[in-house]
Every structure is written in C-alpha cells, then in structure tokens.
Amino acid sequence: MEVCWNYSLKYTSVAKIKAIDWSQFFATPAGIYTLLPAIGYVAFGVANVFFFSKALNQIPASTAFAVWMGIALVGIKVVDTLVLKEPFSAWHVLYIGFILVGIVGLKRSA
C-alpha cells in the first residue's frame, strides 16, 4: 500500500484538479483520469494506515516502522527501475541488500 500510495501522490496534480470543469465532468473521461491519482491517494493512504496499525498490534513500533519503510523503499526502487525505466547500478543492489539485511535482522530479533 505504501508503494501505491507514494506513486498516486506523485501523479496527483492539484492544479489539474482545480482546472476540472465540473459541469462537463461526465462528458469526457479526462475528468476521471485527472481524479484517479487523487482517489488512489486517499484509498491507498487509508489502507496503508489500516495495515500498518495491524502490524503494530503484532510487533514493536520501531520494528514495524523499520520493516514498513524498508519494504516501501525497496518496492519503490523496483517500480522505478522496472516500470519507469530509471537508471539502476550495482551500487543500488548493494544498498538495497543492506536494507533487506536490516529488515530481516529486525524481524528475526522482534
């Protein structure tokens, strides 16, 4: 949910939402396409908070937050590389590996 929430925020444009002609909203699909990222932002944000609160019921807050953010960082980098064709190097693999080792270590010691 964190990864989806992050990308919905990236593609939400307040300026475009303000420019919607609400009287013609249903006449063309452009209005819906403009609102989809904002709708996703709200939906993924609520789901993000819900699932994170569920995690907090099972493990300590510091571990839950570290794992949550680590998974989000790795997920965002994977989406950036595979979907958005951002550059990727061996250094990225090394540093993502460090993050994953930290996540596993925190989870195992919780």
Side-chain angles (χ1 to χ4, degrees):
M1 294 297 124
E2 182 78 22
V3 174
C4 295
W5 178 76
N6 195 345
Y7 283 105
S8 63
L9 178 61
K10 177 179 176 148
Y11 292 108
T12 298
S13 172
V14 175
K16 288 182 182 178
I17 293 172
K18 285 182 180 180
I20 292 175
D21 180 10
W22 294 100
S23 65
Q24 300 295 319
F25 182 75
F26 293 107
T28 65
I32 289 290
Y33 292 139
T34 302
L35 280 182
L36 276 178
I39 293 167
Y41 174 76
V42 171
F44 291 125
V46 168
N48 190 24
V49 169
F50 174 77
F51 288 120
F52 186 61
S53 69
K54 290 293 187 185
L56 289 174
N57 291 334
Q58 302 296 320
I59 56 179
S62 60
T63 303
F65 187 71
V67 170
W68 197 262
M69 287 294 103
I71 291 170
L73 287 169
V74 171
I76 289 167
K77 184 60 182 171
V78 167
V79 171
D80 276 349
T81 302
L82 297 178
V83 178
L84 301 177
K85 306 299 185 209
E86 295 288 329
F88 192 76
S89 72
W91 289 109
H92 295 150
V93 174
L94 176 68
Y95 296 130
I96 287 173
F98 287 154
I99 292 170
L100 291 174
V101 167
I103 291 170
V104 170
L106 285 170
K107 181 64 177 146
R108 290 190 71 185
S109 65

